């Protein structure tokens, strides 16, 4: 009974099923961490990876935005490289840079060295944290728990470039020059991602988001050839297990149809396209998530309100819209603006 | 007579007028410099800005791709910050980083300090180099001479961020938080850009390209509010003077209609959208330039050929296509691939 009651109040899960909601659900990528003073206080004592390795602390950080901002979902606090760190890849998370891979993959041997992911052995902490968050969410306001993974293309780009890149030249060199190696790498990463996402669902995630944050570096043809099949395998495997998915990319306004065709219960978009145009292109028989430019939150609160209302007007109260930013919260974001944004979304009445 | 003969053989100018051409014209952004060994030999002796300050040397570098690659146009070798350096802004070009502004603009005083551009006094070298290139092109194969400028948004982002940025947070903060200052800055920069482009045309440029390389950081609404009016003023002023323009942006697949509406004889696109879809959206009564991913040139020559043929097939022999990359040549590009690409474009026969 209690479980049923929670499910009926979860706006996020309703929106994923494109059922009517009392208010549009809202959460923010990178809502846990970065901008919250309560998070920064913890970060003074612990590195990012230390937080990830302590399930109690990780659960605290994951839940902070629920208490502090009033969002409709908690997203597990983890790094995009968590599963790769779990299988033993030498990765450090460097402040101001992000993930840095000690020994970037250059050949078949590097790909072969990526072992299988055995969740309970390799990533017990993130699963324990999910279980903790799930149990602490019981009895709260029906907020959903979101798991996530980087998509294979995004993970591959870190493994090949060694760190975040502007031009992806190592990645594209392998794609064009060694398509057989590329296929091996993407298949290996896809297996890892499927296991990782299903393990998160098993541990309590109500929905999982696939982050293909760098897909916008590609042409439509290259996305279709080198990326889409693997994302499709992952999204299909997870949805077959009954877990709803959010398929997020940035910079793909020119080929959102291909992103949609790869799958995803809901398609997450960035701010480089109008939400109404994007939704029309994707088709209203799919959900959409987005799409405020996170930088608007660095401006005055009046701009935040006006921009949010524009997006809500474009969604027009249609079932299946999840309000979010178009990418992660910027560390300099004033918390008051995040709170005001949640209020605008929850207070909005479509005409 | 000689001049008329040259004009009739200029494929680029014909394509700008959407007249039939014997072969599609082709040139590459950043074709002068970067990948060419002949350029790197010169760079061993001179910094980038030293080359810009020596018209003879600058003309040599500008013309290298004509001789070495067989492209249909020379683009003047200059830095995007040239006009700002000319009016006395403290800017260094740092290898591996790009332009670095000594004293980023933070307030009204910073904007006021941007003086007017007096071309013959402030940027005599680039004008002398244009005149030299123009005269050396006489009697060659009718190649066109391209001038260029960064667009105000792109210039403003360097002036405000201090260097290239991923999140443009200073730029967007001013846009949202100080719209009056933003307007002043954009108007000041637009005046400079108009004077700069007209001076280049006066000195011999047959066509000018406006580079709004960072426009794709914006939402459609913000582009329309904060950028489009200034680009429109510039393109209109230059076209009114009888100079054809190429309006280039990247990452704008979601609002190419707004880019088109800002103006431009021809619209330059990146590889994140299919050329045929983009052209249909822009309308076939405008020209289009693009759109090979420069990273394809780091792969095997077979990939270069296949990707180029796909783009040419999308252009379908329609008048008004100028073949180019979707952004600048990467420094690691093998020269053989650039040559092969020119051959494919010039050898292509639409079905």
């Amino acid at each position: 009974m209690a479980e049923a009651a929670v499910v009926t109040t979860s706006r996020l899960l309703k929106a994923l099923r494109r059922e009517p909601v009392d208010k549009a659900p809202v959460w923010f990528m990178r809502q846990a961490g970065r901008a919250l003073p309560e998070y920064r206080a913890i970060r003074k004592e612990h590195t990012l990876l230390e937080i990830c390795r302590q399930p109690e602390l990780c659960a605290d950080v994951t839940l902070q935005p629920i208490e502090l901002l009033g969002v409709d979902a908690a997203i597990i606090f983890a790094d995009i490289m968590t599963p790769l760190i779990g299988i033993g890849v030498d990765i450090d998370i460097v402040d101001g840079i992000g993930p840095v891979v000690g020994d970037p993959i250059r050949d078949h041997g590097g790909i072969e060295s990526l072992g299988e992911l055995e969740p309970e052995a390799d990533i017990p902490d993130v699963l324990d944290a999910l279980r903790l968050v799930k149990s602490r969410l019981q009895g709260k306001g029906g907020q959903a728990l979101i798991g996530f993974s980087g998509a294979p293309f995004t993970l591959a780009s870190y493994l090949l470039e060694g760190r975040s890149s502007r031009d992806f030249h190592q990645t594209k060199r392998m794609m064009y020059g060694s398509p057989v190696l590329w296929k091996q790498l993407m298949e290996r990463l896809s297996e890892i991602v499927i296991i990782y996402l299903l393990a998160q669902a098993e541990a309590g995630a109500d929905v999982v988001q696939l982050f293909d944050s760098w897909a916008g570096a590609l042409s439509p043809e290259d996305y279709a050839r080198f990326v889409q099949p693997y994302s499709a395998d992952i999204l299909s495997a997870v949805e077959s297990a009954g877990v709803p998915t959010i398929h997020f990319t940035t910079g793909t306004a020119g080929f959102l149809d291909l992103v949609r065709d790869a799958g995803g219960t809901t398609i997450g978009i960035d701010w480089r396209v109008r939400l109404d145009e994007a939704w029309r292109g994707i088709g209203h028989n799919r959900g959409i998530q987005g799409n405020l430019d996170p930088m608007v939150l660095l401006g005055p609160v009046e701009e935040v309100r006006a921009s949010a209302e524009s997006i809500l007007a474009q969604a027009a109260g249609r079932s299946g819209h999840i309000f979010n930013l178009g990418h992660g919260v910027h560390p300099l974001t004033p918390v008051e603006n995040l709170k005001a944004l949640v209020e605008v979304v929850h207070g909005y009445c479509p005409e």
Side-chain angles (χ1 to χ4, degrees), chain A:
Chain A
M1 269 309 282
E3 201 184 336
V6 168
V7 169
T8 54
T9 56
S10 172
R11 288 182 197 117
L12 189 88
L13 296 180
K14 282 186 179 177
L16 283 162
R17 293 191 295 259
R18 285 184 295 113
E19 293 171 6
V21 284
D22 60 334
K23 303 166 179 184
V26 52
W27 69 281
F28 306 127
M29 288 178 269
R30 299 274 197 179
Q31 64 183 15
R34 288 195 168 184
L36 296 180
E38 291 80 356
Y39 168 78
R40 288 210 283 258
I42 293 174
R43 277 285 268 119
K44 277 193 185 144
E45 312 283 324
H46 305 275
T47 68
L48 192 151
L49 290 180
E50 280 171 12
I51 296 172
C52 294
R53 282 176 193 132
Q54 299 182 47
E56 284 283 348
L57 201 54
C58 182
D60 291 346
V61 168
T62 299
L63 286 163
Q64 280 177 347
I66 297 278
E67 308 292 344
L68 298 168
L69 305 176
V71 289
D72 292 296
I75 180 164
I76 189 69
F77 184 83
D79 192 78
I80 204 164
M81 304 308 274
T82 293
L84 299 179
I85 295 171
I87 60 167
V89 181
D90 172 20
I91 295 167
D92 196 13
I93 311 298
V94 180
D95 281 340
I97 296 182
V100 175
V101 177
D103 191 13
I105 288 179
R106 288 285 169 271
D107 53 24
H108 181 68
I111 297 169
E112 282 298 308
S113 75
L114 297 172
E116 263 194 29
L117 179 69
E118 297 177 27
E120 294 296 343
D122 296 333
I123 48 162
D125 303 325
V126 66
L127 301 180
D128 285 343
L130 279 157
R131 292 181 195 109
L132 270 174
V133 174
K134 182 73 173 180
S135 87
R136 291 202 208 158
L137 279 173
Q138 302 291 333
K140 287 199 197 281
Q143 295 88 355
L145 174 54
I146 305 173
F148 76 91
S149 175
F153 174 69
T154 293
L155 296 176
S157 76
Y158 281 107
L159 289 174
L160 295 169
E161 309 285 341
R163 57 179 67 196
S164 76
S165 168
R166 274 181 182 271
D167 58 23
F168 299 90
H169 79 269
Q170 299 284 6
T171 310
K172 290 183 177 179
R173 260 191 178 160
M174 182 180 280
M175 271 171 32
Y176 302 130
S178 309
V180 174
L181 280 189
W182 177 259
K183 187 164 184 284
Q184 284 173 351
L185 176 59
M186 291 296 275
E187 284 175 351
R188 183 64 61 103
L189 290 171
S190 299
E191 285 165 24
I192 291 169
V193 171
I194 290 171
I195 292 168
Y196 182 46
L197 290 175
L198 291 176
Q200 290 182 69
E202 185 82 12
D206 299 303
V207 44
V208 294
Q209 175 158 318
L210 189 68
F211 280 83
D212 214 353
S213 310
W214 307 137
L218 297 164
S219 69
E221 292 83 350
D222 288 345
Y223 178 79
R225 268 206 296 174
F226 295 117
V227 172
Q228 192 194 40
Y230 309 100
S231 297
D233 283 350
I234 292 164
L235 292 162
S236 148
V238 174
E239 288 182 22
S240 299
V243 183
T245 60
I246 302 170
H247 185 192
F248 171 74
T249 61
T250 75
T252 58
F255 53 92
L256 276 173
D257 53 335
L258 300 178
V259 173
R260 170 204 61 199
D261 291 347
T265 311
T266 288
I267 305 299
I269 61 169
D270 72 8
W271 63 92
R272 295 173 177 88
V273 58
R274 285 180 59 90
L275 184 128
D276 50 2
E277 282 182 23
W279 207 352
R280 202 159 43 236
I282 289 164
H284 292 134
N285 58 345
R286 295 282 274 276
I288 199 161
Q289 175 177 279
N291 71 339
L292 185 69
D293 183 349
M295 294 303 124
V296 172
L297 288 160
L298 301 192
V301 71
E302 298 73 32
E303 276 287 330
V304 176
R305 288 204 188 97
S307 300
E309 281 168 2
S310 164
I311 290 164
L312 289 159
Q314 291 172 54
R318 198 178 279 119
S319 298
H321 177 224
I322 298 168
F323 195 101
N324 206 321
L325 308 178
H327 212 161
V329 172
H330 192 281
L332 295 174
T333 306
V335 176
E336 293 313 311
N337 277 358
L338 288 166
K339 288 183 189 170
L341 178 52
V342 172
E343 279 167 23
V344 172
V345 177
H346 281 167
Y348 186 78
C349 292
E351 297 304 306

